[in-house]
Amino acid sequence: MKSSANVPLYIGGFIDLNTTNGGWNSGGVYPAIELALQHINQDQSLLQGIKLELVIKDSRCSDAYAIKTLVEHITADHTVVMLIGPGCSIAAEPIAIAGKFWNLVQVAYAAGTPRLSDKTLFPLFYRVNAPETVANLAIVAMLKKFKWSRVAIVKEDVAVFNDVSEGLQLLLRRENISLIGANSFITNPDNVITDLKQKDARIIIVLTYEGKCRKLMCSAFRHGFYGKHIVWLLRGWYVEDWSKVVTDVTCSPQEVQSAHGNYIAFEEVILSTSTEKTINGLTPDQLNKLYLRQARNISYPINSYAAYGYDAMWVVALALNRTNTLLKESGLTLHNFTYDNKYIASIINESTAKTRFFGMSGEVAFLDNGDRISSMWIEQFQDDGEIRVGVFDATHGDTGVDRINGSPPPSEPVTITEIVLIEMPLFVTMATIACAGIFLSTLFLILNIKNRQRTFIRMSSPYLNNFIIAGSIMCYTCVILFGVDVFLDESDHVIHSAICSFRLWLLSCGYTLAFGTMFIKTWRVYKIFTNHKLDKQLGRLHDRHLVCMLALMLSVDLLFLSVWQAVDGLKTEIRNVQTENGRNKITILMPVFLACTCTHKLIWLGCLYTYKGLLMIFGLFLAWETRNVSYPALNDSRYIGLSVYNVVIWVSISVPLGYTVVYDSVNAHFALVSSAINICTTSTLLLVFGPKLRSFSISPEHHPESTRASAKSNVVKQHPECPGCKCE
């Protein structure tokens, strides 16, 4: 131990003790600095004839108090030859800027702002901790490892975190990682949490002091923004059990912990895990035990940066020891230092830059910019505390992670597509009704053929009636085809595309056969009964001529559909319905359905609906014009009119609803379309063939219409162009 006669040499120290402003409290580092000072002063080989004295000032993690305490050091009765600290970047930066004017070399133990790496602005500044940019490298490496490609940044609005955020954003852009938001706050983080919820942020990088981090987590809890789908990436230099200190928030420790969940923290490998002996002959672990004992003795909180404080003090001692040796060659000593002595200051600066030793934090050496690069612990909050789950090697950029709790959630929801099929009971119901309609149509067909020679059937053109029945069967078949999706999935898109086209052709042609035939029959009646004086040549009105007209109408359908198919054919598209979060909020269920579409579908459908609409208007006109014809066996105008009215109502309802309200609802859309087809087709069949079926139960001699026809036989003439047709 050195003699008490040794001349004291003063070191200006800065510790952030009173941090009621919310800054980082570095008070727990002080016992480690004191421990190092004891070991240095006990070392006979160092600074012979000199005893280092540390004068501590509270910089309060404040730029204003930092300058105040610096001035207090400079204006004191003694001269300080070097500065150590502070631990807070906010306080370290102004001291580093101003200290050079008094030629004071500064060694910090925890200041991480990237700005301090600029030697042109801070030529006399050194730090034994790594800058925050190393943590940025570790974060980006972690993002890449877990394939997190979508992140958000939340920062406290102070200079150090603004600088760190800027550097981090550059790294994210370089690695093509999407930044969905960079929010900052001063005191109230509620708006930040609201924005994160709206953007559905999952991976959130937090750049704040621990006090603001507690407020952030408390706000997240109040807003319900927490769960296994959210991962917070924090700085690891918060005090132990930081989330349990709730004096500055309105949440309980349990609520804060619920909000932060299994957060991941990045902390420098501060305390070396090596068993190698340090510069004072003890291992890092032995020094840490001494530190813990000393911290408890003087009632200071434990601080994870203690090892840096211990080594920072050794950097000061070794630099001064080398400087003292060099000065002796010139007949000077360290006590010759004054605040305007640039010569001694330059030697101290050079000696600090060349300092190299193995300390409590490991190998200590400085880069050209005064920084020190170190590895990073990767820690995760598990159960009731932080557990080290990996390490980041800053030299090689490698991230080794093991023992992580749970599977890393994705950075954005995993979309799981789920094809929505028509419910089987609905399909069975509609298909059964359609099959019943087909059976009814077949029954009418049999009766129509079997009784075609009966007067009532023969006068209604049984051959044309067959076309009506055939068209109805085609429409019923479309109901089954519209529901065949229940048997298909996404892999059957080729089959579905073929069905899309086939049912379009079938429905269009079925409509033409069913209603076109009725309209042609009515047109014949119209031509006959509007020619009262038989003074016009009506042309050929035999059934075969009407069939040719029907074939012409059908040809228009076939030509239009062929052009549509060739130019812009229907194909299957997998279309989204609404999305909904999965139970664990990590997945999103994306219901999809198979839709028939093409590039200009609305235009093609518009043309088709226009053509069919004109045909229907023509039928209405004929039905109205022949409403007074008194031969029901020959004239279906009344029933055709009712059929057309029925179809118009259903089309007016189903088409707008089918393409707007229920379009994205597979079951509702199928129910609407199939109901419209079933009701329109069935009602048409019953209206057209029901009276004929009823006539079978009435003998011709008792049929009222036959009686009426006989009574008028004296004025009825045979029409020469239509055998079997009569007119008044």
Side-chain angles (χ1 to χ4, degrees):
M1 182 177 293
K2 295 179 183 178
S3 169
S4 59
N6 292 331
V7 180
L9 188 66
Y10 294 96
I11 308 297
F14 300 91
I15 301 291
D16 308 289
L17 295 172
N18 184 359
T19 55
T20 54
N21 63 338
W24 184 66
N25 191 305
S26 60
V29 179
Y30 175 66
I33 297 175
E34 277 292 322
L35 179 65
L37 188 61
Q38 294 172 18
H39 291 167
I40 291 167
N41 286 329
Q42 292 171 0
D43 193 328
Q44 299 293 330
S45 63
L46 289 177
L47 298 169
Q48 295 179 357
I50 295 176
K51 180 183 179 181
L52 292 184
E53 294 283 353
L54 181 64
V55 182
I56 291 294
K57 298 289 185 180
D58 184 5
S59 52
R60 300 192 180 189
C61 195
S62 163
D63 49 2
Y65 275 93
I67 294 297
K68 175 181 179 294
T69 51
L70 175 62
V71 172
E72 289 175 355
H73 276 307
I74 295 171
T75 57
D77 294 337
H78 54 266
T79 300
V80 294
V81 294
M82 286 186 73
L83 303 174
I84 182 171
C88 184
S89 296
I90 297 175
E93 187 175 343
I95 294 174
I97 291 175
K100 62 184 178 183
F101 298 111
W102 286 273
N103 298 301
L104 289 170
V105 176
Q106 178 184 357
V107 181
Y109 47 81
T113 177
R115 293 186 185 182
L116 293 171
S117 299
D118 189 350
K119 269 297 180 185
T120 58
L121 294 177
F122 312 101
L124 303 181
F125 179 82
Y126 297 85
R127 51 185 165 190
V128 295
N129 64 292
E132 288 288 341
T133 50
V134 177
N136 285 349
L137 294 174
I139 288 174
V140 172
M142 174 70 79
L143 297 178
K144 292 170 62 178
K145 181 177 182 64
F146 290 133
K147 298 180 180 179
W148 287 332
S149 58
R150 182 176 178 271
V151 301
I153 295 176
V154 176
K155 61 183 176 67
E156 185 178 348
D157 192 12
V158 294
V160 56
F161 296 124
N162 292 335
D163 294 341
V164 173
S165 177
E166 289 179 7
L168 180 56
Q169 291 182 47
L170 290 174
L171 289 175
L172 294 176
R173 283 195 292 269
R174 187 184 306 164
E175 298 296 338
N176 294 320
I177 297 174
S178 175
L179 179 65
I180 62 173
N183 299 291
S184 62
F185 69 97
I186 299 176
T187 56
N188 189 349
D190 286 349
N191 291 335
V192 170
I193 295 297
T194 300
D195 185 65
L196 293 176
K197 285 188 68 175
Q198 291 175 348
K199 294 177 178 177
D200 194 21
R202 304 295 179 99
I203 311 300
I204 307 161
I205 303 168
V206 179
L207 304 174
T208 68
Y209 291 115
E210 65 183 69
K212 294 301 190 296
C213 188
R214 277 191 294 271
K215 290 186 177 181
L216 182 69
M217 296 306 162
C218 184
S219 177
F221 181 83
R222 291 199 311 269
H223 287 79
F225 184 65
Y226 60 93
K228 292 183 178 180
H229 63 295
I230 296 176
V231 178
W232 302 92
L233 304 182
L234 312 180
R235 288 315 199 240
W237 37 258
Y238 297 168
V239 298
E240 189 177 359
D241 295 333
W242 63 272
S243 60
K244 297 180 181 179
V245 182
V246 292
T247 55
D248 53 354
V249 293
T250 58
C251 296
S252 67
Q254 293 75 20
E255 291 172 339
V256 174
Q257 290 183 14
S258 295
H260 67 54
N262 296 116
Y263 68 78
I264 294 176
F266 299 86
E267 182 180 16
E268 295 176 59
V269 180
I270 301 174
L271 178 63
S272 174
T273 57
S274 173
T275 58
E276 182 181 349
K277 290 184 178 182
T278 64
I279 190 171
N280 83 322
L282 299 176
T283 64
D285 185 63
Q286 291 172 329
L287 288 175
N288 189 52
K289 291 178 181 177
L290 291 175
Y291 158 71
L292 294 175
R293 185 187 309 159
Q294 180 142 334
R296 295 189 186 100
N297 289 339
I298 58 178
S299 300
Y300 271 84
I302 305 301
N303 193 299
S304 59
Y305 275 66
Y308 282 161
Y310 183 89
D311 289 346
M313 193 67 239
W314 271 97
V315 169
V316 171
L318 293 175
L320 292 177
N321 185 65
R322 182 178 183 276
T323 302
N324 193 50
T325 302
L326 294 175
L327 288 176
K328 285 181 179 179
E329 297 176 359
S330 304
L332 299 174
T333 67
L334 288 169
H335 291 92
N336 294 121
F337 174 80
T338 58
Y339 294 132
D340 57 357
N341 193 324
K342 293 187 177 182
Y343 172 70
I344 296 180
S346 65
I347 298 178
I348 296 175
N349 187 31
E350 180 188 358
S351 298
T352 305
K354 292 182 178 180
T355 299
R356 188 183 188 95
F357 66 98
F358 185 78
M360 189 175 174
S361 62
E363 190 69 27
V364 179
F366 297 108
L367 301 175
D368 292 340
N369 61 358
D371 286 342
R372 179 187 176 194
I373 300 299
S374 63
S375 298
M376 303 288 296
W377 286 118
I378 300 173
E379 302 167 337
Q380 185 185 34
F381 188 86
Q382 299 180 13
D383 298 328
D384 197 38
E386 294 179 356
I387 304 296
R388 289 174 179 170
V389 295
V391 65
F392 170 72
D393 186 347
T395 304
H396 302 93
D398 298 330
T399 303
V401 178
D402 55 9
R403 301 193 308 278
I404 196 164
N405 186 21
S407 300
S411 60
E412 54 188 332
V414 176
T415 301
I416 300 177
T417 59
E418 183 181 53
I419 189 166
V420 179
L421 300 176
I422 297 170
E423 293 182 4
M424 187 60 72
L426 176 62
F427 171 71
V428 171
T429 301
M430 292 301 174
T432 301
I433 296 173
C435 290
I438 293 174
F439 175 78
L440 179 65
S441 301
T442 305
L443 178 62
F444 284 149
L445 180 63
I446 294 172
L447 294 175
N448 187 68
I449 295 175
K450 185 177 179 180
N451 298 279
R452 64 185 179 278
Q453 297 302 326
R454 297 184 67 169
T455 303
F456 196 82
I457 300 297
R458 178 168 52 84
M459 293 187 68
S460 67
S461 301
Y463 297 109
L464 294 177
N465 291 340
N466 292 340
F467 288 111
I468 296 176
I469 295 172
S472 298
I473 292 175
M474 293 169 67
C475 291
Y476 281 127
T477 304
C478 285
V479 172
I480 300 174
L481 292 177
F482 272 109
V484 79
D485 295 0
V486 73
F487 304 107
L488 303 177
D489 56 30
E490 296 174 75
S491 61
D492 299 321
H493 57 88
V494 176
I495 299 175
H496 188 268
S497 297
I499 293 175
C500 286
S501 300
F502 181 64
R503 69 193 184 195
L504 173 66
W505 286 60
L506 200 64
L507 185 59
S508 179
C509 294
Y511 175 90
T512 299
L513 283 176
F515 285 90
T517 302
M518 289 192 297
F519 298 156
I520 289 173
K521 287 174 58 180
T522 309
W523 174 79
R524 180 170 62 184
V525 175
Y526 169 76
K527 292 288 289 183
I528 293 172
F529 286 93
T530 56
N531 187 21
H532 297 291
K533 297 181 179 180
L534 298 179
D535 55 354
K536 296 180 181 179
Q537 292 295 323
L538 299 178
R540 299 185 180 276
L541 299 177
H542 285 288
D543 285 353
R544 63 178 180 271
H545 300 129
L546 299 187
V547 170
C548 290
M549 294 178 64
L550 180 63
L552 179 62
M553 296 171 63
L554 199 59
S555 298
V556 174
D557 277 276
L558 297 176
L559 178 62
F560 176 79
L561 293 173
S562 297
V563 173
W564 185 352
Q565 186 68 29
V567 175
D568 188 20
L570 289 174
K571 59 182 180 296
T572 298
E573 178 183 78
I574 299 176
R575 188 162 294 173
N576 300 335
V577 195
Q578 71 281 355
T579 60
E580 56 185 37
N581 284 334
R583 292 181 179 178
N584 54 6
K585 298 185 180 180
I586 294 177
T587 59
I588 282 184
L589 299 180
M590 179 73 74
V592 298
F593 65 96
L594 303 179
C596 300
T597 187
C598 60
T599 306
H600 304 291
K601 183 178 179 180
L602 290 179
I603 296 177
W604 292 108
L605 286 176
C607 295
L608 185 63
Y609 288 153
T610 300
Y611 166 56
K612 300 297 182 181
L614 292 174
L615 184 62
M616 190 171 294
I617 293 173
F618 178 63
L620 282 173
F621 167 76
L622 295 175
W624 177 261
E625 289 295 317
T626 59
R627 67 189 182 280
N628 294 321
V629 174
S630 58
Y631 285 88
L634 184 65
N635 179 37
D636 294 326
S637 62
R638 181 186 306 170
Y639 305 115
I640 291 173
L642 291 175
S643 298
V644 171
Y645 299 149
N646 184 52
V647 172
V648 169
I649 292 173
W650 273 97
V651 169
S652 300
I653 294 174
S654 60
V655 171
L657 288 179
Y659 285 95
T660 55
V661 179
V662 301
Y663 185 68
D664 288 340
S665 176
V666 175
N667 289 291
H669 187 268
F670 172 71
L672 179 67
V673 172
S674 57
S675 297
I677 294 176
N678 281 332
I679 291 174
C680 291
T681 307
T682 303
S683 60
T684 299
L685 283 173
L686 293 176
L687 286 170
V688 173
F689 292 97
K692 296 175 178 56
L693 184 63
R694 181 173 177 273
S695 70
F696 295 156
S697 62
I698 304 176
S699 60
E701 60 273 19
H702 295 95
H703 199 288
E705 300 298 341
S706 298
T707 304
R708 188 184 307 146
S710 299
K712 297 183 179 182
S713 59
N714 60 328
V715 294
V716 172
K717 299 179 180 180
Q718 185 75 32
H719 197 285
E721 300 296 333
C722 182
C725 297
K726 298 178 181 180
C727 57
E728 295 180 354

